């Protein structure tokens, strides 16, 4: 987490609001059911939005911690599974190589 | 050829002449031929239409724009004339990614609508993105191939309800995952000489990890709105990571 003095919420409060509204919409509910076989849970976005606004109002430490904890949990959920492949440290060396004029092998 | 998008999935891989059949190059007969003359290409093929639709996709489609930006950040800037190729392909194939030449092949004779072009370009860019960011063993590791196919089917819009209905595949609850699994298996079988059981086993083993690997979108984009939102989040990722 960044130094308390320069910290700000990972997303803007408008983004949390948008995510919450979007999550509650009919279209998203349909897509979520089609993808995961269950209805979405949207309460967390609402809590994050409230925490964001609370921080904007009072710079409350509790709000900051709650928000950080929630976002870190989201990141951890994405890292639940071991990766299938090894990530590169640099791009493939032949990405920019010119194509052969003569296409035959 | 690697990871192809097709009614029957396209093939992937590059090898010597005698091994071409094993790696799917039979579906892309123009890959190793001399290019046609400008006049023949313009008058007798859909080459120009393909180029125009591709330009439209790259300029306006949020899925493609996010992938292009993500690849640029990973060190693989995509150049239209170097990394895309409009060619004639076998009857059922829509496109493919040739990892040997770092090119995305678009089947100009099989892509007739802009929406289809959008989807094929997104699908193949996901393969290119995986090639760029990870050591993907396209030719020898079926699980790697399976993983990229799962991701491409999941994130490109291949498995929307409307697309499935158009294929006469009907289902609702969790059907997206069924579709992703089935299309990944079909893709593997088209490009590799492996048994159906091997393909199914590979897909099943990596499904959870790869279905939940949503890079660079961060979410499964079900619409252009979702894709635009994902693009926005991608552009704000520095702020996000710095304030966790």
């Amino acid at each position: 987490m960044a130094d308390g003095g320069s910290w700000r919420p990972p997303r803007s409060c408008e983004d949390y609001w948008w995510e919450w509204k979007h999550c509650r919409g009919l279209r998203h509910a349909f897509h979520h059911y089609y993808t995961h076989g269950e209805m979405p849970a949207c309460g967390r976005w609402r809590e994050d939005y409230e925490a964001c606004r609370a921080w904007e109002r009072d710079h409350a430490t509790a709000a900051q911690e709650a928000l950080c904890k929630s976002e870190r949990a989201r990141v951890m959920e994405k890292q639940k599974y071991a990766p299938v492949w090894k990530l590169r440290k640099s791009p493939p060396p032949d990405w920019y190589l010119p194509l052969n004029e003569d296409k035959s092998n | 050829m690697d990871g192809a998008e097709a009614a029957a999935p396209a093939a992937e891989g590059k090898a010597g002449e005698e091994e071409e059949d094993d790696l799917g190059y039979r579906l892309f007969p123009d890959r190793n031929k001399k290019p046609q003359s400008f006049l023949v290409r313009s008058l007798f093929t859909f080459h120009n239409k393909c180029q125009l639709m591709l330009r439209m996709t790259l300029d306006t489609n949020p899925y493609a724009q996010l992938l292009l930006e993500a690849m640029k950040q990973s060190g693989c800037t995509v150049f239209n004339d170097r990394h895309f190729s409009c060619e004639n392909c076998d009857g059922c194939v829509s496109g493919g990614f040739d990892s040997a030449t770092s090119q995305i092949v678009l089947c100009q004779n099989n892509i007739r609508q802009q929406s289809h072009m959008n989807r094929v370009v997104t699908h193949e860019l996901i393969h290119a993105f995986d090639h760029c960011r990870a050591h993907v063993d396209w030719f020898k590791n079926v699980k790697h191939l399976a993983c990229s196919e799962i991701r491409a089917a999941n994130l490109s819009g291949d498995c929307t309800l409307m697309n499935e209905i158009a294929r006469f595949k009907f289902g609702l609850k969790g059907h997206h995952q069924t579709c992703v699994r089935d299309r990944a298996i079909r893709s593997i079988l088209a490009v590799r000489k492996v048994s159906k059981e091997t393909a199914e086993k590979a897909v099943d083993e990596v499904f959870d990890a790869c279905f939940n690997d949503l890079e660079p979108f961060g979410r499964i984009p079900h619409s252009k709105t979702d894709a635009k939102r994902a693009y926005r989040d991608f552009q704000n990722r520095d702020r996000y990571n710095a304030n966790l």
Side-chain angles (χ1 to χ4, degrees), chain A residues 63-101:
Chain A
Q64 177 181 343
E65 281 172 8
L67 206 41
C68 279
K69 190 171 164 204
S70 178
E71 289 289 5
R72 280 192 211 130
R74 279 202 182 96
V75 171
M76 291 311 294
E77 276 161 30
K78 286 190 181 158
Q79 292 171 353
K80 209 159 59 171
Y81 301 97
V84 170
W85 42 50
K86 196 170 144 217
L87 291 179
R88 288 182 192 264
K89 291 194 171 58
S90 58
D94 56 354
W95 182 258
Y96 296 108
L97 282 184
L99 294 163
N100 293 331
E101 292 297 348

Side-chain angles (χ1 to χ4, degrees), chain A residues 40-41 45 53 59 86:
Chain A
W45 288 116
R53 282 287 180 223
H59 284 245
K86 196 170 144 217

Side-chain angles (χ1 to χ4, degrees), chain B residues 5 50 53-55 57-58 61 63-65 67-68 84 94 104-106 111 114-128 156:
Chain B
E5 152 79 28
C50 177
M53 287 201 290
L54 171 62
R55 171 55 55 199
T57 298
L58 297 179
N61 184 262
Y63 292 76
Q65 287 175 329
L67 282 158
L68 291 173
F84 284 96
S94 303
I104 289 171
V105 179
L106 301 169
I111 303 175
Q114 186 62 55
S115 58
H116 190 192
M117 175 63 82
N118 292 343
R119 197 159 48 81
V120 174
V121 168
T122 302
H123 183 112
E124 303 308 332
L125 276 173
I126 289 169
H127 290 314
S156 65

Side-chain angles (χ1 to χ4, degrees), chain B residues 91-117:
Chain B
C92 345
V93 168
S94 303
F97 173 63
D98 186 353
S99 58
T101 54
S102 304
Q103 259 198 333
I104 289 171
V105 179
L106 301 169
C107 298
Q108 59 198 23
N109 54 326
N110 293 330
I111 303 175
R112 301 296 175 89
Q113 291 179 321
Q114 186 62 55
S115 58
H116 190 192
M117 175 63 82

Side-chain angles (χ1 to χ4, degrees), chain B:
Chain B
M1 292 288 286
D2 303 321
E5 152 79 28
E12 162 169 351
K14 185 174 172 170
E17 290 273 347
E18 62 278 7
E19 290 169 337
E20 277 183 1
D21 279 356
D22 285 345
L23 299 169
Y25 275 90
R26 71 192 184 289
L27 296 169
F28 301 90
D30 284 0
R31 277 271 81 193
N32 293 322
K33 276 199 198 139
K34 277 180 70 166
Q36 296 165 311
S37 73
F38 173 77
L39 209 55
V40 167
R41 212 171 57 180
S42 298
L43 293 177
F44 299 111
T45 71
F46 291 104
H47 188 81
N48 290 349
K49 184 176 177 187
C50 177
Q51 294 284 5
L52 282 171
M53 287 201 290
L54 171 62
R55 171 55 55 199
M56 177 72 97
T57 298
L58 297 179
D59 286 348
T60 64
N61 184 262
Y63 292 76
Q65 287 175 329
L66 169 49
L67 282 158
L68 291 173
E69 179 66 28
M71 288 183 70
K72 192 171 162 189
Q73 295 295 332
S74 298
C76 298
T77 306
V78 171
F79 296 103
N80 189 342
D81 46 0
R82 166 62 181 84
H83 297 108
F84 284 96
S85 177
C86 284
E87 298 173 7
N88 286 329
C89 310
D90 178 22
C92 345
V93 168
S94 303
F97 173 63
D98 186 353
S99 58
T101 54
S102 304
Q103 259 198 333
I104 289 171
V105 179
L106 301 169
C107 298
Q108 59 198 23
N109 54 326
N110 293 330
I111 303 175
R112 301 296 175 89
Q113 291 179 321
Q114 186 62 55
S115 58
H116 190 192
M117 175 63 82
N118 292 343
R119 197 159 48 81
V120 174
V121 168
T122 302
H123 183 112
E124 303 308 332
L125 276 173
I126 289 169
H127 290 314
F129 177 66
D130 287 340
H131 180 67
C132 177
R133 66 169 179 143
H135 290 283
V136 182
D137 187 354
W138 297 102
F139 305 135
K140 297 203 197 81
N141 193 328
V142 183
K143 284 195 211 172
H144 283 196
L145 178 59
C147 191
S148 196
E149 289 296 351
I150 288 166
R151 279 175 33 79
N154 185 22
L155 300 170
S156 65
D158 278 351
C159 284
T160 60
L161 181 66
M162 297 316 292
N163 281 338
E164 279 289 271
I165 288 174
R167 297 176 194 125
F168 301 104
K169 303 264 173 77
F170 302 103
L172 193 58
K173 182 177 176 177
H175 183 74
H176 179 86
Q177 295 187 43
T178 309
C179 168
V180 166
R181 184 180 177 276
D182 289 346
R183 288 185 73 75
I185 291 168
R186 278 160 59 90
S187 287
I188 294 168
L189 290 175
V191 306
R192 292 290 177 272
K193 283 204 164 131
V194 297
S195 67
K196 192 159 186 257
E197 288 72 31
T198 305
E200 285 174 349
K201 186 165 175 274
V203 166
D204 287 340
E205 280 175 9
V206 301
F207 190 83
D208 284 338
C210 301
F211 186 79
N212 289 293
D213 179 358
L214 305 176
E215 292 299 308
F217 292 91
R219 66 181 79 213
I220 298 175
H222 295 286
S223 63
K224 285 185 181 172
T225 308
D226 286 351
K228 284 181 189 162
R229 201 75 203 175
Y231 192 11
R232 195 183 136 100
D233 288 346
F234 182 81
Q235 288 168 320
N236 291 334
R237 71 195 179 290
D238 287 339
R239 168 178 171 170
Y240 184 80
N241 291 327
N243 291 293
L244 278 182

